[in-house]
Amino acid sequence: MNTDTVVAAIRESGVTRIPLRISGRSNWLDAGRPVLAGKSLSLRDDIGVVSYVPGDLTLTVRAGTTLAEIERLTLEHDQWLPLDPYGSSDGTIGATIATASAGPLASSFGLPRDLVLGLEFVNGRGEVVRAGGKVVKNVAGFDLSRLLTGSWGTLGVITEVTLRLYARPHADRTFVISLRGDRATALAHAAYTSLAPYALQFVGASAARALGLGEHPVCLIRLGGNDAVVAEQLIALSQIARPEEVEGRIWSSLRGLDRNADSVVRISNLPAQFLGTADRILSDDLPAVYTYIDPRRGVMRVVVGTNGEGRDDDVVTSGTSVEFGSDASRSTEVIFEKLPPEVWAQVSPSVVADRLSQGIRKAYDPHNILNPGILGD
């Protein structure tokens, strides 16, 4: 598999008008709305390193390269890509960028669009397009890399990605704290003042139980940097509660709660609005309904029916009923990542119905052959 193969497949579909289902390793084929396609185009075999310049902290890889392979490659040079989307590291970098999937590290290191320096993609006409560059400082006019990030393969098939790397921290430690009393508010405040955590998540009761962290809501916090920085932050953290250190792999387990979920809903609001209702939200103890909040980003994630358990369409959108007050509700954004096929039309028929989105789609995929329907178009 290479770029020429992708070009040939898209041009053939342009002639036959048979739409393509674009995928990586097919871990999330049930994410997004049902795709109306007659053929599949998988990038899972389009793997390998194009270039790696450790001195510049940049890495260029083919789109089918997995996140686990990128981690292995960069570890050899004491570097890393702080991109930890929910699910697992078996996913490909191309699919991660196409879906703009982010995890707990996003609050400190940015979203996928912030870590992509440039990319290559093939549009719906079968034309190869390069966007951005292969250096950290690059000015190239309109940022096509950001346009493709989160487009779910509807504007083009990503074939190559250039990424911004970071030096791996000398110290990387994770702690768990029970969320009792007003600790949620105190911890969130500390995260803006005395702490600079790599990741901080408030984990609901059901999720905490699934992770083996007890029966009540907890806070997971990841501190990194040099030993002195981490030690100083740990002292400040100890003024709020008694942190208990746990293995860093707990973050992989948290991300893994999304695997095989029937439904995933993401709700965004002002961080302060979540703090006002965090105790009630996190204490909900519905079977196989996992809730976690990133108080710094103001993002709540609700995972329903993990591993096929507790499937109940009445709770598919349970997280959307959270009340923040009239002023806050106007700024609330609800994003549905995964839903049962029959539910999509009821709650989110389209996210690209506006004229601007339709115009961009037509410009890049005039025959509507790339993942048609996945955004409700």
Side-chain angles (χ1 to χ4, degrees):
M1 169 68 75
N2 54 33
T3 300
D4 290 339
T5 305
V6 175
V7 168
I10 292 177
R11 289 182 177 176
E12 179 184 351
S13 289
V15 173
T16 62
R17 296 297 193 269
I18 298 177
L20 295 171
R21 177 56 161 111
I22 315 302
S23 66
R25 295 181 63 86
S26 301
N27 291 333
W28 282 76
L29 283 183
D30 54 350
R33 297 155 187 77
V35 176
L36 309 174
K39 297 177 65 175
S40 296
L41 177 58
S42 172
L43 277 292
R44 66 178 300 146
D45 295 326
D46 190 7
I47 61 176
V49 176
V50 177
S51 68
Y52 183 11
V53 186
D56 290 341
L57 292 169
T58 60
L59 171 68
T60 302
V61 293
R62 298 299 293 176
T65 308
T66 65
L67 297 175
E69 178 63 11
I70 291 174
E71 181 177 11
R72 186 192 68 79
L73 289 167
T74 56
L75 180 60
E76 296 176 1
H77 295 273
D78 247 0
Q79 296 175 354
W80 69 321
L81 174 68
L83 187 57
D84 59 342
Y86 291 97
S88 77
S89 295
D90 293 335
T92 66
I93 186 63
T96 301
I97 301 305
T99 58
S101 298
L105 288 171
S107 57
S108 294
F109 294 94
L111 298 167
R113 67 188 184 193
D114 302 309
L115 298 173
V116 174
L117 296 175
L119 51 79
E120 174 193 87
F121 66 96
V122 183
N123 64 21
R125 293 188 176 89
E127 301 167 335
V128 180
V129 182
R130 285 191 171 272
K134 295 188 177 182
V135 294
V136 174
K137 293 183 179 180
N138 179 67
V139 179
F142 185 73
D143 197 339
L144 287 180
S145 298
R146 292 199 172 206
L147 179 65
L148 266 290
T149 302
S151 64
W152 285 77
T154 61
L155 302 180
V157 178
I158 296 174
T159 53
E160 185 179 295
V161 183
T162 299
L163 302 159
R164 176 200 307 266
L165 303 177
Y166 283 80
R168 189 173 292 272
H170 183 267
D172 189 346
R173 302 171 65 184
T174 296
F175 301 88
V176 61
I177 299 172
S178 174
L179 286 179
R180 296 181 179 178
D182 61 351
R183 285 181 182 170
T185 300
L187 285 166
H189 177 72
Y192 285 105
T193 54
S194 56
L195 301 177
Y198 278 2
L200 188 152
Q201 295 276 305
F202 293 160
V203 180
S206 293
R209 185 182 305 112
L211 295 171
L213 298 176
E215 300 292 322
H216 305 285
V218 298
C219 171
L220 277 176
I221 184 167
R222 183 175 180 177
L223 303 178
N226 59 45
D227 291 330
V229 168
V230 172
E232 191 69 24
Q233 292 187 81
L234 190 54
I235 292 173
L237 187 61
S238 300
Q239 303 302 312
I240 301 172
R242 180 178 298 175
E244 176 185 349
E245 189 161 9
V246 294
E247 294 290 335
R249 61 175 176 266
I250 193 69
W251 293 103
S252 295
S253 299
L254 175 69
R255 293 162 52 207
L257 293 180
D258 276 47
R259 300 192 72 172
N260 303 317
D262 286 326
S263 305
V264 178
V265 182
R266 190 171 78 243
I267 303 172
S268 301
N269 207 321
L270 297 174
Q273 301 300 331
F274 281 110
L275 291 179
T277 56
D279 290 343
R280 178 172 62 82
I281 295 171
L282 297 172
S283 295
D284 285 344
D285 199 14
L286 296 172
V289 178
Y290 303 145
T291 303
Y292 21 101
I293 298 173
D294 185 333
R296 293 189 295 166
R297 291 183 62 206
V299 175
M300 177 172 73
R301 196 172 186 83
V302 180
V303 180
V304 181
T306 301
N307 296 322
E309 301 174 2
R311 168 68 184 273
D312 184 347
D313 289 346
D314 290 338
V315 297
V316 163
T317 58
S318 60
T320 64
S321 62
V322 177
E323 296 180 2
F324 298 106
S326 58
D327 291 337
S329 62
R330 286 195 292 268
S331 61
T332 302
E333 181 181 27
V334 179
I335 302 294
F336 298 97
E337 294 187 4
K338 297 178 68 176
L339 289 175
E342 66 274 12
V343 178
W344 278 107
Q346 303 174 30
V347 299
S348 182
S350 176
V351 293
V352 289
D354 60 286
R355 292 181 61 186
L356 178 59
S357 296
Q358 291 291 329
I360 293 174
R361 177 67 184 275
K362 187 174 182 179
Y364 283 86
D365 181 20
H367 305 307
N368 196 28
I369 58 173
L370 303 180
N371 277 352
I374 200 168
L375 297 177
D377 49 328

